[in-house]
Amino acid sequence: MKKQCVLVAGGAGYIGSHTTVELIAAGYDVVIADNLSNSEMRAVEGVRKITGIEVPFVQVDCCDREAFRKVFEQYDFDSAIHFAASKAVGESVEKPMLYYRNNLTSLMNLIDLMHEFGRHNIVFSSSCTVYGEPDKQPVTEQTPRKPATSPYGNTKQMSEDILRDSMKAFAGMKGIALRYFNPIGAHPSALIGELPRGVPQNLVPYVTQTAAGIRECLSVFGDDYPTPDGSCIRDYIDVTDLAKAHVAAIGRMVDGKSKSEYEVFNIGTGRGVSVLELVKGFERVNGVKLNYRIAPRRAGDIIAIWADPTLANTELGWKAERPLDETLASAWKWQQSLK
Ligand code: NAD
Ligand code: WQD
């Protein structure tokens, strides 16, 4: 039987590269399209090494519709995953137009081309950022979205709406938005992982760079929040577990199991972990001492958020499995491989 093919737009990036590995492990063919604006070919090489397959890669800007069209002319995929977006919250406040243009145009081009070429299934990378500061924990898919606090967050809300409305209009097409919580860690092989550019904005890359001596000291942003130890709480999800959620979402659509043309799933562990718990866990698991200090709160931070992943568990048949300790060990192994 001919293998199903999946287009992974943004597949040279952190989550896209891990997802490509899991798609191939599940028996799909993959073609990666990426403009390398926030990634490097080494991720594609890493994917090829892990899978033993010369995964096709096309360097293309998904915002350039005519160039993107050629990928559709050349490859016969029926499903696509859209990772191709800019993701730095702070930068989005300074350069809103870059975020609106890149994140929305690349998605709209993908949807339009899928429609034009008669291709059917789309998975979209959404984010728990759409919930803002929730009134109740854990958050379910029914938890209301709050007004976005950054242009980046706004692009995720707008993208969800664009996908919902277009799937409704384009008969036969299906879309799934996955709302990721906080993806961390790296592939067990340490051949792929997160490659932050410049000073990391996210917690775990800052932790691993501090442990490696690249950063002098980790700032823990606030210890006076109304949480058990005073630091913020998040739902940290292993990147391979997250990657597998995409395989499940594609499978659901390919197998005709979707309950409507547009669906949304929370992809988290269901477990809230504080910044201080994460820092101490990292030290314990890896046997390293982290230089950290308590710093003032970071503007715009959510106090606490974690997922209710029941819907993904029951409908997608997917569950986060990797223990946090293993994920923290993989993050350190990856950091050390970068020397
Ligand atoms: P990443 O930056 O590592 O990956 C994104 C990839 O898309 C990069 O390889 C980049 O070069 C590519 N890209 C960007 N714009 C493009 C364009 N116009 N054309 C072609 N390629 C383009 O980021 P990631 O962490 O892997 O995130 C993937 C997706 O998941 C993004 O949409 C992001 O917003 C979303 N997301 C990420 C997180 C997170 O914490 N990492 C959380 C929630 C949602
Ligand atoms: C986690 C916790 C910080 C760095 C962001 C985006 C969100 C999503 C994931 C894409 C917070 C604390 C951090 C540091 C710290 N991305 N921290 N010292 O803020 O939950 O979410 O990434 O969709 O949209 O907003 O993740 O990793 O930045 O922070 O104390 O040096 O770690 O205050 O409590 P966040 P993060």
Side-chain angles (χ1 to χ4, degrees):
M1 209 177 83
K2 191 167 166 275
K3 279 190 187 173
Q4 288 262 1
C5 183
V6 180
L7 170 72
V8 181
Y14 174 44
I15 306 168
S17 56
H18 289 80
T19 300
T20 300
V21 168
E22 296 309 317
L23 284 166
I24 289 169
Y28 291 96
D29 281 338
V30 172
V31 52
I32 295 175
D34 198 303
N35 65 358
L36 302 180
S37 59
N38 197 40
S39 51
E40 295 171 16
M41 270 312 277
R42 64 175 286 172
V44 178
E45 300 306 340
V47 167
R48 288 174 176 163
K49 227 180 238 169
I50 294 167
T51 59
I53 288 172
E54 202 54 22
V55 183
F57 169 81
V58 186
Q59 185 165 353
V60 64
D61 185 344
C62 302
C63 294
D64 178 344
R65 189 192 291 238
E66 290 320 306
F68 199 14
R69 179 191 300 279
K70 294 203 171 73
V71 181
F72 284 74
E73 286 164 355
Q74 195 179 348
Y75 294 95
D76 184 21
F77 47 84
D78 197 38
S79 304
I81 309 181
H82 183 275
F83 293 109
S86 309
K87 63 163 180 178
V89 176
E91 185 187 49
S92 81
V93 177
E94 281 148 34
K95 301 176 185 165
M97 291 310 286
L98 189 154
Y99 276 69
Y100 287 115
R101 191 171 295 118
N102 195 44
N103 296 7
L104 301 182
T105 309
S106 63
L107 177 68
M108 290 191 290
N109 282 347
L110 176 74
I111 296 172
D112 267 346
L113 288 165
M114 291 289 284
H115 182 234
E116 180 185 325
F117 281 77
R119 317 283 171 88
H120 293 102
N121 311 314
I122 301 176
V123 176
F124 171 67
S125 299
S126 190
S127 165
C128 66
T129 194
V130 301
Y131 296 116
E133 181 82 62
D135 299 326
K136 239 175 59 193
Q137 304 287 355
V139 292
T140 74
E141 292 77 1
Q142 305 310 319
T143 300
R145 295 187 325 190
K146 293 262 176 79
T149 52
S150 70
Y152 169 77
N154 206 18
T155 68
K156 290 297 169 196
Q157 296 196 353
M158 294 166 83
S159 295
E160 284 191 353
D161 296 347
I162 289 168
L163 187 60
R164 180 199 60 208
D165 294 347
S166 54
M167 293 305 96
K168 204 175 214 167
F170 296 156
M173 288 186 72
K174 291 195 170 53
I176 291 182
L178 299 179
R179 291 179 178 159
Y180 315 156
F181 283 66
N182 289 55
I184 61 165
H187 191 267
S189 65
L191 288 167
I192 51 172
E194 193 168 3
L195 275 176
R197 297 211 160 163
V199 182
Q201 303 301 308
N202 296 114
L203 179 61
V204 169
Y206 209 105
V207 164
T208 59
Q209 289 198 6
T210 306
I214 300 166
R215 309 284 155 208
E216 207 170 301
C217 181
L218 166 77
S219 295
V220 170
F221 297 136
D223 70 346
D224 56 352
Y225 284 104
T227 60
D229 66 17
S231 64
C232 292
I233 295 174
R234 298 287 184 276
D235 185 336
Y236 295 97
I237 166 102
D238 182 85
V239 68
T240 296
D241 279 337
L242 173 59
K244 288 177 179 167
H246 296 78
V247 178
I250 293 282
R252 180 177 177 83
M253 295 187 285
V254 167
D255 295 341
K257 294 203 173 123
S258 302
K259 290 198 170 145
S260 67
E261 69 283 340
Y262 171 73
E263 298 178 302
V264 180
F265 297 100
N266 282 344
I267 304 297
T269 66
R271 166 198 66 205
V273 172
S274 77
V275 176
L276 287 169
E277 281 172 337
L278 186 134
V279 165
K280 287 171 188 159
F282 183 88
E283 290 186 318
R284 177 177 45 74
V285 168
N286 296 310
V288 294
K289 197 89 201 89
L290 263 182
N291 188 20
Y292 72 87
R293 66 183 182 103
I294 305 299
R297 292 179 177 196
R298 182 172 72 176
D301 260 340
I302 302 298
I303 302 168
I305 183 163
W306 65 93
D308 178 343
T310 308
L311 195 66
N313 299 162
T314 53
E315 289 295 320
L316 292 180
W318 168 92
K319 202 171 183 317
E321 278 170 351
R322 203 173 187 198
L324 181 59
D325 281 4
E326 255 182 48
T327 305
L328 293 175
S330 75
W332 181 224
K333 186 177 170 193
W334 164 247
Q335 179 66 56
Q336 288 174 300
S337 79
L338 292 174
K339 275 181 196 153

Short mmCIF file of all heavy atoms in Angstrom, two decimals, residues 227-273:
data_model
loop_
_atom_site.label_atom_id
_atom_site.label_comp_id
_atom_site.label_asym_id
_atom_site.label_seq_id
_atom_site.Cartn_x
_atom_site.Cartn_y
_atom_site.Cartn_z
N THR A 227 1.09 31.14 44.86
CA THR A 227 1.23 29.71 44.55
C THR A 227 1.95 29.08 45.75
O THR A 227 2.53 29.81 46.55
CB THR A 227 2.09 29.50 43.28
OG1 THR A 227 3.39 30.08 43.53
CG2 THR A 227 1.48 30.15 42.05
N PRO A 228 1.95 27.76 45.87
CA PRO A 228 2.54 27.14 47.07
C PRO A 228 3.97 27.59 47.37
O PRO A 228 4.30 27.85 48.52
CB PRO A 228 2.46 25.64 46.76
CG PRO A 228 1.26 25.51 45.87
CD PRO A 228 1.25 26.76 45.03
N ASP A 229 4.85 27.69 46.37
CA ASP A 229 6.21 28.15 46.69
C ASP A 229 6.48 29.57 46.19
O ASP A 229 7.61 30.05 46.23
CB ASP A 229 7.27 27.16 46.17
CG ASP A 229 7.32 27.08 44.64
OD1 ASP A 229 6.79 27.98 43.96
OD2 ASP A 229 7.89 26.09 44.12
N GLY A 230 5.45 30.23 45.70
CA GLY A 230 5.58 31.64 45.29
C GLY A 230 6.02 31.84 43.85
O GLY A 230 6.00 32.95 43.33
N SER A 231 6.46 30.74 43.17
CA SER A 231 6.87 30.92 41.76
C SER A 231 5.74 30.43 40.83
O SER A 231 4.83 29.73 41.26
CB SER A 231 8.19 30.18 41.48
OG SER A 231 8.05 28.78 41.64
N CYS A 232 5.83 30.83 39.56
CA CYS A 232 4.75 30.55 38.61
C CYS A 232 4.65 29.05 38.30
O CYS A 232 5.64 28.31 38.40
CB CYS A 232 5.02 31.26 37.29
SG CYS A 232 4.91 33.04 37.39
N ILE A 233 3.47 28.65 37.88
CA ILE A 233 3.21 27.24 37.59
C ILE A 233 2.86 27.05 36.12
O ILE A 233 2.05 27.80 35.56
CB ILE A 233 2.09 26.70 38.50
CG1 ILE A 233 2.56 26.74 39.96
CG2 ILE A 233 1.66 25.29 38.10
CD1 ILE A 233 1.51 26.37 40.97
N ARG A 234 3.47 26.02 35.51
CA ARG A 234 3.21 25.68 34.11
C ARG A 234 3.05 24.17 33.96
O ARG A 234 3.43 23.41 34.84
CB ARG A 234 4.39 26.11 33.21
CG ARG A 234 4.67 27.60 33.18
CD ARG A 234 3.63 28.36 32.38
NE ARG A 234 3.94 29.78 32.28
CZ ARG A 234 3.64 30.69 33.21
NH1 ARG A 234 3.01 30.35 34.32
NH2 ARG A 234 3.96 31.95 33.04
N ASP A 235 2.59 23.79 32.78
CA ASP A 235 2.44 22.38 32.43
C ASP A 235 3.51 22.07 31.38
O ASP A 235 3.34 22.39 30.19
CB ASP A 235 1.02 22.17 31.87
CG ASP A 235 0.70 20.72 31.58
OD1 ASP A 235 1.63 19.93 31.35
OD2 ASP A 235 -0.51 20.39 31.56
N TYR A 236 4.63 21.50 31.82
CA TYR A 236 5.75 21.24 30.92
C TYR A 236 5.57 19.89 30.24
O TYR A 236 5.48 18.87 30.90
CB TYR A 236 7.07 21.28 31.70
CG TYR A 236 7.35 22.66 32.25
CD1 TYR A 236 7.02 22.99 33.56
CD2 TYR A 236 7.90 23.66 31.45
CE1 TYR A 236 7.24 24.27 34.07
CE2 TYR A 236 8.13 24.95 31.95
CZ TYR A 236 7.80 25.23 33.26
OH TYR A 236 8.01 26.50 33.74
N ILE A 237 5.52 19.95 28.91
CA ILE A 237 5.23 18.73 28.14
C ILE A 237 6.46 18.33 27.32
O ILE A 237 7.05 19.17 26.64
CB ILE A 237 3.98 18.93 27.23
CG1 ILE A 237 3.83 17.84 26.17
CG2 ILE A 237 4.01 20.27 26.48
CD1 ILE A 237 2.81 16.85 26.53
N ASP A 238 6.82 17.07 27.42
CA ASP A 238 7.97 16.56 26.68
C ASP A 238 7.74 16.71 25.17
O ASP A 238 6.66 16.37 24.66
CB ASP A 238 8.19 15.10 27.03
CG ASP A 238 9.41 14.54 26.32
OD1 ASP A 238 10.51 14.70 26.86
OD2 ASP A 238 9.25 13.98 25.22
N VAL A 239 8.77 17.14 24.44
CA VAL A 239 8.59 17.44 23.02
C VAL A 239 8.28 16.19 22.20
O VAL A 239 7.57 16.27 21.19
CB VAL A 239 9.81 18.22 22.47
CG1 VAL A 239 11.07 17.35 22.43
CG2 VAL A 239 9.52 18.82 21.10
N THR A 240 8.77 15.02 22.63
CA THR A 240 8.43 13.80 21.88
C THR A 240 6.98 13.40 22.14
O THR A 240 6.27 12.98 21.22
CB THR A 240 9.41 12.65 22.23
OG1 THR A 240 10.72 13.04 21.80
CG2 THR A 240 9.01 11.35 21.55
N ASP A 241 6.52 13.54 23.38
CA ASP A 241 5.10 13.32 23.66
C ASP A 241 4.26 14.27 22.80
O ASP A 241 3.25 13.87 22.20
CB ASP A 241 4.80 13.57 25.14
CG ASP A 241 5.15 12.37 26.03
OD1 ASP A 241 5.21 11.25 25.50
OD2 ASP A 241 5.35 12.57 27.24
N LEU A 242 4.67 15.52 22.75
CA LEU A 242 3.94 16.52 21.95
C LEU A 242 3.94 16.12 20.47
O LEU A 242 2.90 16.19 19.79
CB LEU A 242 4.60 17.90 22.13
CG LEU A 242 4.10 19.04 21.27
CD1 LEU A 242 2.61 19.29 21.47
CD2 LEU A 242 4.88 20.34 21.56
N ALA A 243 5.11 15.66 20.00
CA ALA A 243 5.21 15.24 18.59
C ALA A 243 4.20 14.12 18.30
O ALA A 243 3.53 14.12 17.26
CB ALA A 243 6.64 14.76 18.30
N LYS A 244 4.07 13.19 19.24
CA LYS A 244 3.16 12.06 19.04
C LYS A 244 1.70 12.51 18.98
O LYS A 244 0.86 11.85 18.35
CB LYS A 244 3.35 11.02 20.14
CG LYS A 244 4.67 10.26 19.99
CD LYS A 244 4.87 9.28 21.14
CE LYS A 244 6.18 8.52 20.96
NZ LYS A 244 6.57 7.80 22.18
N ALA A 245 1.39 13.61 19.63
CA ALA A 245 0.02 14.14 19.56
C ALA A 245 -0.32 14.54 18.12
O ALA A 245 -1.47 14.40 17.67
CB ALA A 245 -0.15 15.32 20.50
N HIS A 246 0.69 15.01 17.38
CA HIS A 246 0.46 15.37 15.97
C HIS A 246 0.17 14.14 15.13
O HIS A 246 -0.65 14.16 14.23
CB HIS A 246 1.67 16.12 15.40
CG HIS A 246 1.90 17.44 16.06
ND1 HIS A 246 2.51 17.54 17.29
CD2 HIS A 246 1.59 18.70 15.70
CE1 HIS A 246 2.56 18.81 17.64
NE2 HIS A 246 2.01 19.54 16.70
N VAL A 247 0.89 13.06 15.43
CA VAL A 247 0.66 11.81 14.70
C VAL A 247 -0.78 11.35 14.96
O VAL A 247 -1.50 10.93 14.04
CB VAL A 247 1.67 10.73 15.14
CG1 VAL A 247 1.40 9.42 14.41
CG2 VAL A 247 3.10 11.21 14.91
N ALA A 248 -1.21 11.46 16.22
CA ALA A 248 -2.57 11.06 16.57
C ALA A 248 -3.60 11.94 15.86
O ALA A 248 -4.64 11.46 15.38
CB ALA A 248 -2.76 11.11 18.09
N ALA A 249 -3.33 13.23 15.78
CA ALA A 249 -4.27 14.16 15.13
C ALA A 249 -4.37 13.88 13.64
O ALA A 249 -5.48 13.86 13.07
CB ALA A 249 -3.83 15.61 15.39
N ILE A 250 -3.24 13.64 13.01
CA ILE A 250 -3.26 13.30 11.58
C ILE A 250 -4.04 11.98 11.39
O ILE A 250 -4.92 11.88 10.51
CB ILE A 250 -1.82 13.14 11.03
CG1 ILE A 250 -1.08 14.49 11.04
CG2 ILE A 250 -1.82 12.52 9.63
CD1 ILE A 250 -1.43 15.44 9.94
N GLY A 251 -3.74 11.00 12.22
CA GLY A 251 -4.41 9.69 12.11
C GLY A 251 -5.91 9.83 12.26
O GLY A 251 -6.67 9.16 11.55
N ARG A 252 -6.34 10.68 13.17
CA ARG A 252 -7.78 10.88 13.38
C ARG A 252 -8.46 11.36 12.10
O ARG A 252 -9.53 10.88 11.72
CB ARG A 252 -7.97 11.91 14.50
CG ARG A 252 -9.44 12.21 14.84
CD ARG A 252 -9.45 13.18 16.01
NE ARG A 252 -10.78 13.61 16.40
CZ ARG A 252 -11.59 12.92 17.22
NH1 ARG A 252 -11.21 11.76 17.69
NH2 ARG A 252 -12.78 13.39 17.55
N MET A 253 -7.82 12.30 11.42
CA MET A 253 -8.43 12.85 10.20
C MET A 253 -8.32 11.87 9.04
O MET A 253 -9.28 11.66 8.30
CB MET A 253 -7.78 14.20 9.86
CG MET A 253 -8.07 15.25 10.93
SD MET A 253 -7.52 16.92 10.51
CE MET A 253 -5.77 16.78 10.77
N VAL A 254 -7.14 11.24 8.91
CA VAL A 254 -6.94 10.28 7.83
C VAL A 254 -7.93 9.12 7.95
O VAL A 254 -8.49 8.65 6.96
CB VAL A 254 -5.48 9.75 7.85
CG1 VAL A 254 -5.31 8.53 6.96
CG2 VAL A 254 -4.50 10.84 7.43
N ASP A 255 -8.18 8.69 9.19
CA ASP A 255 -9.09 7.56 9.41
C ASP A 255 -10.56 7.96 9.44
O ASP A 255 -11.43 7.15 9.74
CB ASP A 255 -8.75 6.85 10.75
CG ASP A 255 -7.38 6.21 10.71
OD1 ASP A 255 -6.87 6.00 9.60
OD2 ASP A 255 -6.81 5.94 11.79
N GLY A 256 -10.84 9.23 9.20
CA GLY A 256 -12.23 9.70 9.16
C GLY A 256 -12.92 9.70 10.51
O GLY A 256 -14.13 9.53 10.61
N LYS A 257 -12.13 9.90 11.58
CA LYS A 257 -12.71 9.83 12.92
C LYS A 257 -13.06 11.19 13.51
O LYS A 257 -13.59 11.28 14.63
CB LYS A 257 -11.74 9.11 13.87
CG LYS A 257 -11.54 7.64 13.50
CD LYS A 257 -11.07 6.83 14.70
CE LYS A 257 -11.04 5.36 14.40
NZ LYS A 257 -9.73 4.73 14.59
N SER A 258 -12.79 12.26 12.78
CA SER A 258 -13.09 13.60 13.31
C SER A 258 -14.58 13.73 13.57
O SER A 258 -15.40 13.23 12.78
CB SER A 258 -12.68 14.68 12.30
OG SER A 258 -11.32 14.58 12.00
N LYS A 259 -14.95 14.42 14.66
CA LYS A 259 -16.37 14.59 14.94
C LYS A 259 -16.93 15.85 14.30
O LYS A 259 -18.14 16.05 14.25
CB LYS A 259 -16.58 14.60 16.45
CG LYS A 259 -16.33 13.20 17.02
CD LYS A 259 -16.92 13.00 18.38
CE LYS A 259 -16.84 11.52 18.75
NZ LYS A 259 -16.60 11.33 20.17
N SER A 260 -16.05 16.75 13.88
CA SER A 260 -16.50 17.89 13.08
C SER A 260 -15.32 18.36 12.24
O SER A 260 -14.20 17.85 12.40
CB SER A 260 -17.02 19.02 13.98
OG SER A 260 -15.96 19.55 14.72
N GLU A 261 -15.58 19.32 11.37
CA GLU A 261 -14.53 19.71 10.43
C GLU A 261 -13.39 20.49 11.11
O GLU A 261 -12.32 20.63 10.55
CB GLU A 261 -15.12 20.50 9.25
CG GLU A 261 -15.65 21.88 9.56
CD GLU A 261 -17.02 21.88 10.25
OE1 GLU A 261 -17.73 20.86 10.15
OE2 GLU A 261 -17.35 22.90 10.88
N TYR A 262 -13.66 20.99 12.32
CA TYR A 262 -12.61 21.70 13.06
C TYR A 262 -12.68 21.30 14.52
O TYR A 262 -13.74 21.38 15.14
CB TYR A 262 -12.80 23.23 12.92
CG TYR A 262 -11.89 24.02 13.83
CD1 TYR A 262 -10.53 24.13 13.56
CD2 TYR A 262 -12.39 24.67 14.96
CE1 TYR A 262 -9.69 24.85 14.39
CE2 TYR A 262 -11.55 25.41 15.79
CZ TYR A 262 -10.20 25.49 15.50
OH TYR A 262 -9.37 26.20 16.32
N GLU A 263 -11.56 20.84 15.04
CA GLU A 263 -11.53 20.41 16.45
C GLU A 263 -10.31 21.02 17.15
O GLU A 263 -9.32 21.36 16.51
CB GLU A 263 -11.44 18.89 16.54
CG GLU A 263 -12.65 18.16 15.95
CD GLU A 263 -12.50 16.65 16.03
OE1 GLU A 263 -11.51 16.11 15.48
OE2 GLU A 263 -13.36 16.00 16.63
N VAL A 264 -10.44 21.13 18.46
CA VAL A 264 -9.37 21.71 19.28
C VAL A 264 -9.04 20.75 20.42
O VAL A 264 -9.94 20.21 21.05
CB VAL A 264 -9.84 23.04 19.90
CG1 VAL A 264 -8.75 23.66 20.77
CG2 VAL A 264 -10.28 24.02 18.84
N PHE A 265 -7.74 20.57 20.67
CA PHE A 265 -7.33 19.71 21.79
C PHE A 265 -6.21 20.38 22.59
O PHE A 265 -5.27 20.93 22.01
CB PHE A 265 -6.81 18.36 21.28
CG PHE A 265 -7.85 17.55 20.57
CD1 PHE A 265 -7.88 17.52 19.18
CD2 PHE A 265 -8.81 16.83 21.28
CE1 PHE A 265 -8.84 16.77 18.51
CE2 PHE A 265 -9.77 16.08 20.62
CZ PHE A 265 -9.80 16.05 19.22
N ASN A 266 -6.33 20.29 23.91
CA ASN A 266 -5.23 20.68 24.79
C ASN A 266 -4.18 19.59 24.76
O ASN A 266 -4.51 18.40 24.92
CB ASN A 266 -5.71 20.78 26.24
CG ASN A 266 -6.47 22.05 26.52
OD1 ASN A 266 -6.40 23.01 25.75
ND2 ASN A 266 -7.19 22.07 27.62
N ILE A 267 -2.91 19.97 24.61
CA ILE A 267 -1.85 18.98 24.66
C ILE A 267 -0.91 19.33 25.81
O ILE A 267 0.01 20.14 25.69
CB ILE A 267 -1.08 18.91 23.31
CG1 ILE A 267 -2.07 18.62 22.16
CG2 ILE A 267 -0.01 17.83 23.39
CD1 ILE A 267 -2.80 17.28 22.24
N GLY A 268 -1.21 18.73 26.93
CA GLY A 268 -0.40 18.94 28.14
C GLY A 268 -0.41 17.67 28.95
O GLY A 268 -1.02 16.66 28.56
N THR A 269 0.26 17.73 30.11
CA THR A 269 0.35 16.54 30.95
C THR A 269 -0.77 16.48 31.98
O THR A 269 -1.06 15.41 32.52
CB THR A 269 1.68 16.53 31.75
OG1 THR A 269 1.63 17.63 32.68
CG2 THR A 269 2.88 16.67 30.85
N GLY A 270 -1.34 17.66 32.30
CA GLY A 270 -2.32 17.73 33.37
C GLY A 270 -1.67 17.99 34.73
O GLY A 270 -2.35 18.01 35.75
N ARG A 271 -0.34 18.22 34.69
CA ARG A 271 0.41 18.39 35.94
C ARG A 271 1.04 19.80 35.98
O ARG A 271 1.71 20.21 35.05
CB ARG A 271 1.51 17.32 35.95
CG ARG A 271 2.63 17.45 36.95
CD ARG A 271 3.81 16.57 36.50
NE ARG A 271 4.38 17.06 35.25
CZ ARG A 271 5.04 16.34 34.36
NH1 ARG A 271 5.21 15.06 34.52
NH2 ARG A 271 5.53 16.90 33.26
N GLY A 272 0.75 20.52 37.03
CA GLY A 272 1.34 21.86 37.20
C GLY A 272 2.66 21.76 37.95
O GLY A 272 2.73 21.09 38.98
N VAL A 273 3.69 22.42 37.43
CA VAL A 273 5.02 22.39 38.06
C VAL A 273 5.49 23.83 38.21
O VAL A 273 5.38 24.61 37.27
CB VAL A 273 6.01 21.58 37.17
CG1 VAL A 273 7.44 21.69 37.68
CG2 VAL A 273 5.59 20.12 37.09
#
